[in-house]
Amino acid sequence: MHYVIPAWDLPALAVAGSDARFPVRRIFCVGRNYVEHQKEMGGDGREQPFFFTKSAHDIVPGGGEIRYPLKTENYHWETELVAVLGSGGLRITVEEANDHVWGYAVGLDMTRRDLQQWGKDHGRPWSFGKDFDQAAPIGPVTPAARIGHPAKGRIWLEVNGETRQDADIAMMIWSIPEQIAFLSQYYTLAAGDIIMTGTPAGVGKAKPGDRLVAGIDGLGTLEAKILPPL
Ligand code: MN
């Protein structure tokens, strides 16, 4: 293939225990998928979750140093289990959904909360709040072929050594199979699509110099060190 401008590399995640990488196509994210997080965001804990998207180019494979983003004064962490799809389809059932999941990783749905809130207040899109440079640090993918399909296990975040998020993925309102079934009613899902499955309570404001360490049982940890803004 010839392109009229130089093409870029496919965004791709590391794979635990392998030199091969997992190419990322689209990023779907679930909002308000844990009751206690709904409450801390001002909800009553009885809302239906929903989806938004990020660009595949927002990923920061393996984390590491990330830059405090532009035009925000309220930059938040959200620790999330990430499910990556090895195949897809339309109108996938809950029962067959796990057959499409290739593996799992720890991710951070980094958020410019002030810009997201502006969007909410003005009936405008969330894109500037959620989809920006380096908005999705994601650790190595552990294959489902190795660990199965985790439905419970601790999910946590330490900021500068202090625990800020501490919950269990069993507390998700919509399970991963339910998320896949729901999404596939609206999109033809495909290999390479990934889902950030929502954050538990304990979101908060990151600042330059902070060191974030996120973890999920069985999936290892993901570190992000926040650099000063440009
Ligand atoms: Mn999130």
Side-chain angles (χ1 to χ4, degrees):
M1 178 70 74
H2 280 62
Y3 297 103
V4 295
I5 59 169
W8 43 89
D9 293 335
L10 272 182
L13 298 170
V15 173
S18 169
D19 292 336
R21 285 153 64 87
F22 182 93
V24 176
R25 184 169 182 265
R26 291 179 292 195
I27 305 177
F28 296 100
C29 305
V30 191
R32 302 203 177 191
N33 198 30
Y34 288 78
V35 169
E36 294 306 314
H37 175 60
Q38 286 194 4
K39 291 178 179 171
E40 75 179 346
M41 296 304 291
D44 62 6
R46 298 170 61 84
E47 301 158 64
Q48 176 150 298
F50 54 88
F51 284 91
F52 58 92
T53 58
K54 288 183 188 265
S55 163
H57 294 275
D58 297 343
I59 66 168
V60 183
E65 294 185 332
I66 61 172
R67 185 66 67 178
Y68 192 97
L70 302 171
K71 303 291 276 184
T72 184
E73 289 172 7
N74 198 10
Y75 175 47
H76 271 207
W77 57 72
E78 296 190 358
T79 305
E80 311 205 0
L81 172 61
V82 182
V84 311
L85 302 189
S87 58
L90 187 62
R91 301 192 189 100
I92 295 166
T93 65
V94 171
E95 292 70 29
E96 69 194 357
N98 275 343
D99 297 343
H100 297 283
V101 180
W102 193 87
Y104 298 90
V106 181
L108 285 164
D109 169 18
M110 299 305 292
T111 301
R112 294 191 284 206
R113 193 72 74 198
D114 42 2
L115 301 191
Q116 181 197 26
Q117 188 62 49
W118 187 90
K120 291 181 190 180
D121 293 345
H122 292 82
R124 300 287 194 233
W126 282 17
S127 309
F128 280 29
K130 287 291 193 176
D131 182 358
F132 54 90
D133 295 348
Q134 300 190 310
I138 299 177
V141 178
T142 299
R146 191 181 315 156
I147 57 159
H149 298 281
K152 57 181 165 52
R154 184 174 177 238
I155 178 169
W156 51 271
L157 174 74
E158 288 179 4
V159 180
N160 304 324
E162 184 183 333
T163 300
R164 301 298 298 264
Q165 295 191 279
D166 194 355
D168 195 291
I169 59 170
M171 295 160 70
M172 283 184 200
I173 297 168
W174 282 353
S175 69
I176 291 171
E178 287 169 336
Q179 294 171 34
I180 292 169
F182 182 91
L183 268 176
S184 72
Q185 295 177 56
Y186 293 84
Y187 293 88
T188 304
L189 295 178
D193 288 342
I194 75 175
I195 305 172
M196 303 191 77
T197 63
T199 195
V203 300
K205 191 170 174 175
K207 56 186 190 310
D210 282 350
R211 182 170 163 269
L212 280 49
V213 182
I216 298 173
D217 281 351
L219 300 177
T221 59
L222 167 70
E223 266 188 60
K225 172 90 190 295
I226 313 299
L227 299 177
L230 292 175

